[in-house]
Amino acid sequence: MKDFFTIKQATQKLEHYCAYQDRCHEEVVQKLRTMKMDADEIDTIIVQLIADNFLNEERFACSYARGKHRIKHWGKIRIINELKFRKISATVIKIALKEINDIEYFEMFDELTEKHWETTFEKNVLKKRKKFCDYFLRKGWENNLIYQKVKELENA
């Protein structure tokens, strides 16, 4: 990478970076810091990217929530925590979570839990329950859903 970038060169580079995939402000700022840009230049470039609609926090959060739920099968808690980690505001997080259809959310949860319960091979019921619960807690699904489902699957 070059040692020095003009604002125009850096803006062009970041336009390509943002056009390839939706990015949050934090990712763009980190990229600019690796390009050794100072704070004033970073602010100028960010304002330009927002004005040209290359950078849109709400669009990023919505696509992030949709993708992580549909592809990685994450629950809402994990998605919220990951968006907070990326310094996304609470109002934008609420908007992003509306992208996840509740019916689809619960159907996916039922499908995943039943499949995981069947494929977890553990003779000890307590260990099986712990493995099952830990897996879905790591994936960010709600506690009450997990414990309710585990009771249902144990009694089946």
Side-chain angles (χ1 to χ4, degrees), residues 62-96:
C62 289
S63 66
Y64 187 88
R66 267 192 322 271
K68 294 301 180 183
H69 175 66
R70 290 187 182 144
I71 296 166
K72 293 222 176 195
H73 308 298
W74 285 2
K76 289 181 181 178
I77 294 171
R78 174 94 185 252
I79 293 169
I80 290 168
N81 289 337
E82 292 290 332
L83 288 172
K84 282 181 183 174
F85 176 73
R86 286 168 173 73
K87 299 180 181 164
I88 307 294
S89 70
T91 54
V92 174
I93 291 173
K94 283 181 185 174
I95 293 168

Side-chain angles (χ1 to χ4, degrees), residues 93-104:
I93 291 173
K94 283 181 185 174
I95 293 168
L97 289 178
K98 289 178 184 171
E99 291 288 313
I100 300 171
N101 182 345
D102 285 338
I103 296 167
E104 179 186 318

Side-chain angles (χ1 to χ4, degrees), residues 15-55:
E15 284 175 355
H16 291 290
Y17 182 67
C18 293
Y20 174 73
Q21 175 183 322
D22 280 332
R23 309 283 180 179
C24 66
H25 294 300
E26 191 62 28
E27 289 172 326
V28 173
V29 169
Q30 289 300 326
K31 180 79 169 171
L32 287 166
R33 285 188 185 135
T34 63
M35 295 168 70
K36 297 181 174 90
M37 305 299 280
D38 68 19
D40 293 335
E41 293 171 328
I42 289 173
D43 290 341
T44 304
I45 293 169
I46 297 264
V47 167
Q48 184 63 43
L49 291 171
I50 292 169
D52 294 339
N53 205 22
F54 281 100
L55 195 56

